[in-house]
Amino acid sequence: MSLKVLVVDDQGIVRAGFAAVIDAEDDMTVVGEAADGAAAVRLTEELAPDVVVMDVRMPELDGIAATRIITGRENAPRILVLTTFDLDAYVFDALRAGASGFLLKDVHPDELLQGIRVVASGESVLAPSATRRLIGHYASGPSAAAPVGSTPDLDRLTGSQRTVLTLVASGLTNAEIAEHLGITVGTVKSHVNAVLRKLGLRDRVQATILAYDLGLTRPNPPGAHL
């Protein structure tokens, strides 16, 4: 089945360009376009897309606020944020609002298409520069969060699930985690799904942010991937 995609950008020519690239794919269909965040929220409710390609800076309601509203609803689509501005605040705010990915608008079309497929599958994607900023943010000083042992939610995880959470936050893929632990990729996926379900998280990005906030792991050097 084709992935249903909603394209949101306040510049008509940019919106049309993204839509043309996406619609040319056999496994994707652009079900709608929106010029601002308010329209994005409304069309998401009406069209039930699988993925929303979301601009950040827009009139009336910006992309961060729209993302927060959309992801707060039942059966929310995945949000892939695209922006011209590679700024710390946009990266952190987009991810904390519930976005599953963050890419720059100058990304190659193939990377955009792959990003849509990745977030639709439940994974996360971040531009390398955004990943470096996220890691650098948490590497800049000790976490101010409460000690991990005092966090009730983490007590719901088994030892294996906590280990997998730590490795996810370290930037390892499922295949790399499987090799590291000597288990199957299927087992890793089961652990990841259990972690997300028990902690009420949407995807690996949110799991990574939570692990950093709680001091469960320390960031990898710049260049690591989420």
Side-chain angles (χ1 to χ4, degrees):
M1 295 180 63
S2 292
L3 291 174
K4 297 185 295 182
V5 182
L6 174 65
V7 178
V8 185
D9 196 292
D10 65 334
Q11 297 183 27
I13 191 168
V14 174
R15 196 168 62 246
F18 287 151
V21 168
I22 295 167
D23 249 343
E25 296 299 294
D26 293 337
D27 61 338
M28 298 183 194
T29 301
V30 174
V31 294
E33 299 178 28
D36 58 62
V41 172
R42 184 179 69 255
L43 288 177
T44 297
E45 189 76 14
E46 294 175 3
L47 303 174
D50 300 302
V51 177
V52 178
V53 176
M54 182 79 74
D55 187 21
V56 172
R57 298 183 65 173
M58 296 183 293
E60 193 166 343
L61 187 71
D62 67 35
I64 304 298
T67 294
R68 187 173 293 108
I69 294 171
I70 291 170
T71 58
R73 293 177 173 175
E74 291 285 337
N75 301 314
R78 302 287 174 173
I79 308 290
L80 177 59
V81 170
L82 291 182
T83 182
T84 307
F85 304 94
D86 183 17
L87 300 178
D88 289 354
Y90 289 160
V91 176
F92 304 142
D93 289 351
L95 298 180
R96 290 187 183 282
S100 296
F102 186 101
L103 294 174
L104 298 182
K105 284 185 177 179
D106 62 0
V107 68
H108 190 278
D110 288 344
E111 293 180 66
L112 168 62
L113 296 170
Q114 181 61 17
I116 292 172
R117 295 184 180 104
V118 168
V119 298
S121 73
E123 300 288 340
S124 56
V125 59
L126 289 177
S129 59
T131 303
R132 288 194 295 271
R133 288 172 181 272
L134 182 64
I135 289 170
H137 171 74
Y138 285 99
S140 62
S143 172
V148 172
S150 66
T151 305
D153 282 343
L154 287 179
D155 291 340
R156 302 176 63 189
L157 303 182
T158 65
S160 296
Q161 290 164 0
R162 187 182 291 217
T163 297
V164 167
L165 171 59
T166 300
L167 294 174
V168 165
S170 297
L172 300 186
T173 64
N174 286 348
E176 290 168 339
I177 294 172
E179 182 178 358
H180 181 79
L181 297 179
I183 57 180
T184 67
V185 173
T187 300
V188 174
K189 289 181 179 179
S190 295
H191 285 323
V192 171
N193 289 336
V195 168
L196 299 182
R197 183 182 68 254
K198 289 182 177 182
L199 300 184
L201 303 172
R202 185 170 295 103
D203 51 36
R204 296 166 78 99
V205 168
Q206 289 195 333
T208 297
I209 290 175
L210 177 66
Y212 285 174
D213 281 346
L214 297 177
L216 187 59
T217 188
R218 295 301 301 164
N220 286 330
H225 57 279
L226 293 180

